[in-house]
Structures are given as structure tokens and as C-alpha cells.
Amino acid sequence: MQTIINYLKIIPRLFYFLFNFSSYKNLNLRAVVFFSVRVQGKKHISIGRNSVVQRGGWLLALKIDENEPVLSIGDNCAIGDYCHIISVRKVIFEDNVLMANNVYVSDNLHGYEDVTTAIKDQPIKFKKEVVLQSGCWIGENVCIIGASIGKNSIIGANSVVTKDIDDYCIAVGSPARVIKKYDLVTKKWNSVNTNN
């Protein structure tokens, strides 16, 4: 009976792969993208082995200039429900990234400089490439805009990240600030003075 259940779980994944793999830059057979995920710009999007993009999300790779956008999700990544990942130049998830629900990741902003034009009608502007390095954990309701997250770092829930976070750090707040950093010599997490 368990074997039958396991085969039934594979059917939606196989169905999605067969109808979509040729549209993606790269879609691994063992990747899972829920049917409710809106995916735009598939020819610029790669999703690796055993990675899961859960319900209600939005993956967008949008060409706004002469540069080809890249949106790449590595192997063994877990992307929670209702996450929005937007790339106009480069957004990279290395392997083993864990992302909670309702997270926004983007390498761009809307222009706002022209006060005579509604912001929605102003051009999208590239800010900075985003790399979520291997093993990092992004908490619920986090916004990451034009910033990279270091290896095995943690971003606390409800944080807004607009500057790079180093490897082995815990960052929280809006704007996000590092409150702890792992010391590779002592093998301990140390508090960071945030009064600077």
C-alpha cells in the first residue's frame, strides 16, 4: 500500500515536469513546483534537484534591458508558501536554502524619482545582484532587496535586508542588523555590539 501511495505522490510532479521542462532554462525532474505558483520568464529560470516551491508563490525573471535575467534555485532548497522572487539581472539561491512563508526577494526597485508620474508607471531599476548562499535560513515575512546573505546565516522573521549579511550571522530588524556571529575558532555564537 505504501508503494502505491509513493507512486501517487510522484504523479503531480511528473505531470508538471512533462508539461513545463522545455519552457525552463533548467527544471530538474526531482524539483517540485506547486501548480498555484505563478512562473513568468521560465526560459531564464532554473530549479535544481529536490527543491520545492510551495503554494501561491511568484517566480519572475524579467528582461528590462540588454542583460538576460537569471533566477536560479539550487538543489535541496525549500521555498515556503506565498514567496515572491523577482530577478531582472541575477538572483541566485545556492544549495540547501530554507525560506519560510511570505518572503520577498528581489534585485530591483521601482523608480520613484519623477514625482509627476505614478510609481507604478516608472521604470523598474536594477539595484544589486542577490545571492543566498548555501545553508542560509530566511524567516517569515522577510524582505531582501538587492542584498546577499552569507553561508549558514539566519535572517529573523519580519526583517528587511538591504545590505549584505556575512557568513555565519544572525540578523534581525528593519533595517536588518547582525546580532550574533559564529566564531570558527571558538566554535561559539557570539553577540555582536549593535550600538555602533
Side-chain angles (χ1 to χ4, degrees):
M1 185 65 173
Q2 187 61 42
T3 303
I4 294 170
I5 291 171
N6 289 339
Y7 279 120
L8 290 174
K9 288 179 181 177
I10 292 171
I11 290 171
R13 178 188 303 182
L14 186 58
F15 183 77
Y16 186 90
F17 178 81
L18 290 173
F19 282 90
N20 288 281
F21 82 95
S22 63
S23 302
Y24 280 85
K25 182 174 184 180
N26 181 32
L27 177 65
N28 189 279
L29 175 60
R30 302 196 87 171
V32 176
V33 179
F34 279 64
F35 285 100
S36 60
V37 175
R38 180 169 50 158
V39 184
Q40 294 173 272
K42 289 179 185 174
K43 68 180 181 178
H44 304 293
I45 297 175
S46 300
I47 304 175
R49 180 182 172 93
N50 297 324
S51 286
V52 178
V53 183
Q54 297 188 63
R55 288 172 288 275
W58 183 21
L59 304 179
L60 171 61
L62 179 66
K63 186 173 172 63
I64 62 168
D65 54 27
E66 69 281 356
N67 298 287
E68 295 293 325
V70 173
L71 197 168
S72 176
I73 298 171
D75 295 340
N76 305 305
C77 293
I79 311 297
D81 294 337
Y82 306 106
C83 291
H84 292 184
I85 304 166
I86 316 297
S87 173
V88 298
R89 188 79 51 86
K90 188 178 283 187
V91 173
I92 305 289
F93 285 54
E94 293 184 351
D95 298 340
N96 301 302
V97 170
L98 174 61
M99 183 179 286
N101 297 339
N102 306 308
V103 173
Y104 177 78
V105 178
S106 145
D107 64 354
N108 62 87
L109 297 166
H110 264 283
Y112 60 88
E113 292 81 6
D114 181 358
V115 295
T116 65
T117 303
I119 292 172
K120 74 177 186 65
D121 296 325
Q122 295 190 46
I124 294 171
K125 300 169 120 186
F126 171 70
K127 183 174 188 278
K128 186 172 170 282
E129 292 181 358
V130 173
V131 179
L132 276 60
Q133 293 186 35
S134 62
C136 69
W137 172 23
I138 312 301
E140 191 127 354
N141 301 315
V142 167
C143 289
I144 299 170
I145 303 169
S148 292
I149 310 299
K151 182 177 181 181
N152 276 58
S153 285
I154 299 165
I155 308 300
N158 302 307
S159 297
V160 177
V161 185
T162 57
K163 294 184 180 176
D164 293 351
I165 304 295
D166 289 338
D167 296 349
Y168 311 110
C169 289
I170 299 173
V172 299
S174 177
R177 289 193 166 92
V178 174
I179 60 167
K180 285 192 174 184
K181 186 168 176 102
Y182 187 75
D183 187 318
L184 294 170
V185 176
T186 64
K187 310 238 183 280
K188 291 183 180 176
W189 286 95
N190 297 316
S191 293
V192 173
N193 183 355
T194 58
N195 295 328
N196 295 337

Coordinates of all heavy atoms in Angstrom, one line a residue, residues 2 9 22 38 48 51 61 86 102-103 112 114 125 131 145 154 158-159 164 175 178 181:
Q2 N 1.9 1.3 0.8 CA 2.8 2.4 0.9 C 3.5 2.7 -0.5 O 3.6 3.9 -0.8 CB 3.9 2.2 2.0 CG 4.8 3.5 2.2 CD 3.9 4.7 2.7 OE1 3.1 4.5 3.5 NE2 4.2 5.8 2.1
K9 N 2.2 10.1 -5.2 CA 2.8 11.4 -4.8 C 3.7 11.9 -6.0 O 3.8 13.1 -6.2 CB 3.7 11.3 -3.6 CG 2.9 11.2 -2.3 CD 3.8 11.0 -1.1 CE 3.0 10.9 0.2 NZ 3.9 10.7 1.3
S22 N 10.5 21.9 -20.9 CA 11.1 22.6 -22.1 C 11.0 24.1 -22.1 O 11.7 24.8 -22.8 CB 10.4 22.0 -23.3 OG 9.1 22.3 -23.4
R38 N 2.8 31.1 -9.7 CA 2.9 31.8 -10.9 C 4.3 31.9 -11.4 O 5.2 32.4 -10.6 CB 2.3 33.2 -10.8 CG 2.3 34.0 -12.1 CD 1.4 35.3 -12.0 NE 1.7 36.1 -10.8 CZ 1.5 37.4 -10.8 NH1 0.9 38.0 -11.8 NH2 1.7 38.1 -9.7
G48 N 16.7 23.3 -9.2 CA 17.5 22.1 -9.0 C 16.8 21.0 -8.3 O 15.7 21.0 -7.9
S51 N 14.4 20.5 -4.9 CA 14.0 21.8 -4.4 C 12.4 21.9 -4.6 O 11.9 21.3 -5.5 CB 14.6 22.9 -5.2 OG 16.0 23.0 -4.8
A61 N 11.4 36.3 -13.8 CA 12.6 36.7 -14.4 C 12.3 37.6 -15.5 O 11.7 37.2 -16.5 CB 13.4 35.5 -14.9
I86 N 11.9 37.8 -7.5 CA 11.9 38.6 -8.7 C 13.4 38.9 -9.1 O 14.1 39.5 -8.3 CB 11.2 40.0 -8.5 CG1 9.9 39.8 -7.7 CG2 11.0 40.7 -9.8 CD1 8.8 39.0 -8.4
N102 N 5.8 33.8 2.9 CA 5.7 35.2 2.7 C 7.0 36.0 2.6 O 7.1 37.1 3.2 CB 4.8 35.8 3.8 CG 3.5 35.1 3.9 OD1 2.7 34.9 3.0 ND2 3.2 34.7 5.1
V103 N 7.9 35.5 1.9 CA 9.2 36.2 1.8 C 9.3 36.8 0.4 O 8.9 36.2 -0.6 CB 10.4 35.2 2.0 CG1 11.7 35.8 1.7 CG2 10.4 34.6 3.4
Y112 N 11.2 56.0 -8.6 CA 10.3 56.9 -7.8 C 10.6 58.3 -8.0 O 9.9 59.2 -7.5 CB 10.2 56.5 -6.4 CG 11.6 56.6 -5.7 CD1 12.0 57.8 -5.2 CD2 12.5 55.6 -5.7 CE1 13.3 58.0 -4.6 CE2 13.7 55.7 -5.1 CZ 14.1 56.9 -4.6 OH 15.4 57.0 -4.0
D114 N 10.6 60.6 -10.4 CA 9.7 61.5 -11.1 C 8.4 61.7 -10.3 O 7.5 60.8 -10.4 CB 9.4 61.0 -12.5 CG 8.5 61.9 -13.3 OD1 8.1 63.0 -12.8 OD2 8.3 61.6 -14.5
K125 N 14.2 49.4 -11.8 CA 15.6 49.7 -11.8 C 16.3 48.5 -11.1 O 16.0 48.2 -10.0 CB 15.9 51.0 -11.2 CG 15.2 52.2 -11.8 CD 15.4 53.4 -11.0 CE 16.1 54.5 -11.7 NZ 16.4 55.6 -10.9
V131 N 22.5 37.0 -3.9 CA 23.0 35.6 -3.7 C 22.6 35.1 -2.3 O 23.1 35.7 -1.3 CB 24.5 35.4 -4.0 CG1 24.9 33.9 -3.8 CG2 24.8 35.8 -5.4
I145 N 16.2 43.0 -0.5 CA 16.1 43.8 -1.7 C 17.6 44.2 -2.0 O 18.2 45.0 -1.3 CB 15.3 45.0 -1.5 CG1 13.8 44.6 -1.2 CG2 15.3 45.9 -2.8 CD1 13.0 45.7 -0.7
I154 N 21.3 33.4 9.3 CA 19.8 33.3 9.6 C 19.3 34.8 9.6 O 19.9 35.7 10.1 CB 19.6 32.8 11.0 CG1 20.1 31.3 11.1 CG2 18.2 32.8 11.4 CD1 20.3 30.8 12.5
N158 N 10.3 39.0 9.8 CA 9.9 40.4 9.7 C 11.0 41.3 9.4 O 10.8 42.5 9.5 CB 9.0 40.8 10.9 CG 7.8 40.0 11.1 OD1 7.0 39.8 10.2 ND2 7.7 39.4 12.3
S159 N 12.2 40.8 9.1 CA 13.3 41.7 8.8 C 13.3 42.2 7.4 O 12.8 41.6 6.5 CB 14.7 40.9 9.0 OG 14.8 40.5 10.4
D164 N 24.4 43.6 2.5 CA 24.8 42.2 2.6 C 25.1 41.7 4.0 O 25.5 42.5 4.9 CB 26.2 42.0 1.8 CG 26.0 42.2 0.3 OD1 24.9 42.3 -0.2 OD2 27.1 42.3 -0.4
P175 N 16.0 48.4 9.5 CA 16.8 47.5 8.6 C 17.5 46.4 9.4 O 17.8 46.6 10.6 CB 17.8 48.5 8.0 CG 18.0 49.6 9.0 CD 16.6 49.7 9.6
V178 N 23.1 42.7 12.2 CA 23.7 41.4 12.8 C 23.7 41.5 14.3 O 24.3 42.5 14.8 CB 25.1 41.2 12.2 CG1 25.8 40.0 12.9 CG2 25.1 41.0 10.7
K181 N 27.3 36.3 15.7 CA 28.1 35.8 14.6 C 28.9 34.6 15.2 O 29.3 34.6 16.3 CB 29.1 36.9 14.2 CG 30.0 36.5 13.0 CD 30.7 37.7 12.4 CE 31.7 37.2 11.3 NZ 31.2 37.4 10.0

